[in-house]
């Protein structure tokens, strides 16, 4: 069972119970099955129900924690009106709030990690590390990524991204595609690095380096959660910009 599914399902279940205190649809049965599965897994891994009980309590109080750190209404309404005239003020206001709000979920991440091992734990680590990576990119240069992606040269690259990815996928062998993250060897890790480098070079020809930064939100946590952290540089340098369109 994926960490994402458990997170979403547990959150929905807690919200639903807070609203009316009882199941109201057939999806409630599926929700309870997921929660019960998580409870069993936590019990098996930790030897007691304490971790699961803390997890449920944490989800219950998380909305109040977020409300204390993040002006969500202002964040959303301000984003709809975002332009060059107000972007500095907007990101200077809300990026610190977003980073502070991470303290509301970090304890939940720590508790959930106690209930997994092996490949599921690796997936959880990827999700955990994607959050700060995404925030760093969003807040970098006062949201430059949002404005950059609206430029014509980026639209051109986006239409070619799938072709680039297919072409670069030839650098990944079948054994690497099917191997568990925790068991990737040095050669397989180099293949993943070369795939990323290949895509970055293709995108950079289009003057669209920001797109690879979006991919890195997943790539870097993936490498950190796998055995590849022992073999490769997790802060890859992008190729030098050129004016050529390929």
């Amino acid at each position: 069972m994926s960490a994402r599914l458990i997170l979403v399902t547990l959150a929905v279940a807690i919200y639903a119970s807070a609203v009316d205190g009882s199941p109201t649809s057939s999806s409630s049965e599926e929700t309870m099955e997921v929660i019960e599965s998580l409870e069993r897994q936590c019990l098996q891994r930790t030897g007691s129900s304490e971790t699961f009980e803390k997890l449920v309590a944490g989800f219950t109080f998380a909305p109040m924690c977020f409300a204390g750190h993040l002006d969500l209404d202002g964040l959303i309404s301000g984003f709809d009106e975002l332009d060059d005239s107000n972007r500095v003020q907007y990101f200077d206001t809300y990026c610190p709030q977003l980073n502070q709000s991470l303290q509301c979920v970090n304890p939940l991440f720590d508790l959930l990690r106690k209930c997994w091992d092996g490949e599921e734990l690796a997936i959880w680590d990827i999700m955990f590390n994607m959050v700060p990576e995404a925030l760093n990119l969003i807040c970098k240069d006062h949201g430059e990524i949002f404005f950059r992606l609206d430029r014509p040269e980026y639209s051109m690259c986006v239409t070619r991204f799938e072709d680039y990815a297919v072409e670069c996928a030839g650098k990944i062998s079948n054994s690497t595609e099917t191997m568990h993250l925790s068991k990737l060897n040095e050669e397989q890790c180099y293949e993943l690095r070369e795939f990323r480098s290949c895509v970055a070079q293709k995108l950079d020809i289009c003057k669209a380096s920001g797109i690879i930064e979006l991919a890195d939100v997943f790539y870097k946590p993936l490498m950190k959660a796998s055995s590849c952290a022992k073999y490769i540089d997790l802060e890859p340098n992008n190729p030098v910009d050129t004016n050529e369109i390929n």
Side-chain angles (χ1 to χ4, degrees):
M1 181 179 300
S2 72
R4 183 185 299 275
L5 176 60
I6 289 179
L7 272 174
V8 173
T9 306
L10 186 57
V12 169
I14 292 172
Y15 174 77
S17 64
V19 171
D20 61 15
S22 62
T24 58
S25 69
S26 59
S27 63
S28 298
E29 295 182 4
E30 297 177 0
T31 298
M32 291 308 301
E33 288 178 3
V34 172
I35 294 175
E36 289 170 1
S37 175
L38 175 60
E39 183 177 15
R40 288 193 300 269
Q41 200 159 347
C42 288
L43 179 61
Q44 181 180 358
R45 290 281 300 157
T46 65
S48 75
S49 61
E50 181 180 1
T51 298
F52 180 77
E53 291 171 357
K54 288 182 178 179
L55 190 56
V56 173
F59 268 99
T60 302
F61 290 104
M64 288 184 287
C65 180
F66 275 108
H69 293 285
L70 181 63
D71 175 11
L72 187 58
D73 290 338
L75 177 73
I76 295 173
S77 62
F79 187 81
D80 291 337
E81 301 173 356
L82 195 61
D83 57 32
D84 275 325
S85 69
N86 59 23
R87 60 187 284 194
V88 172
Q89 179 180 359
Y90 177 85
F91 285 98
D92 281 349
T93 298
Y94 294 108
C95 283
Q97 292 185 19
L98 287 167
N99 280 294
Q100 290 172 6
S101 68
L102 290 180
Q103 63 185 277
C104 300
V105 294
N106 286 344
L108 298 178
F109 288 176
D110 291 339
L111 288 169
L112 280 167
R113 292 182 80 251
K114 293 181 179 180
C115 300
W116 284 299
D117 61 359
E119 199 72 5
E120 285 188 331
L121 179 56
I123 293 172
W124 178 242
D125 282 337
I126 292 171
M127 295 177 62
F128 178 83
N129 287 306
M130 280 179 66
V131 177
E133 288 285 350
L135 282 181
N136 287 339
L137 179 58
I138 289 170
C139 296
K140 182 180 178 181
D141 298 327
H142 299 102
E144 174 65 18
I145 186 66
F146 296 110
F147 295 88
R148 192 185 299 171
L149 291 175
D150 284 336
R151 298 170 186 167
E153 62 268 27
Y154 279 77
S155 297
M156 180 185 301
C157 245
V158 167
T159 61
R160 299 182 180 185
F161 183 81
E162 183 177 356
D163 292 336
Y164 293 157
V166 170
E167 180 180 346
C168 294
K171 298 183 178 295
I172 301 178
S173 64
N174 291 335
S175 61
T176 301
E177 289 181 355
T178 58
M179 183 63 67
H180 287 178
L181 290 175
S182 59
K183 297 181 179 179
L184 291 171
N185 60 35
E186 185 172 2
E187 181 178 353
Q188 292 166 332
C189 291
Y190 287 154
E191 289 180 6
L192 294 175
R193 183 188 63 181
E194 289 306 308
F195 170 77
R196 189 265 177 202
S197 297
C198 175
V199 174
Q201 290 169 0
K202 294 290 185 181
L203 292 174
D204 204 68
I205 290 173
C206 292
K207 306 286 285 184
S209 59
I211 298 179
I212 197 63
E213 288 182 288
L214 288 172
D216 280 343
V217 169
F218 178 77
Y219 171 82
K220 291 180 181 179
L222 173 66
M223 295 296 100
K224 290 177 182 177
S226 72
S227 54
C228 294
K230 298 183 293 185
Y231 307 120
I232 64 174
D233 182 6
L234 298 179
E235 297 295 334
N237 294 320
N238 291 327
V240 178
D241 288 346
T242 70
N243 293 317
E244 178 186 358
I245 300 296
N246 186 21

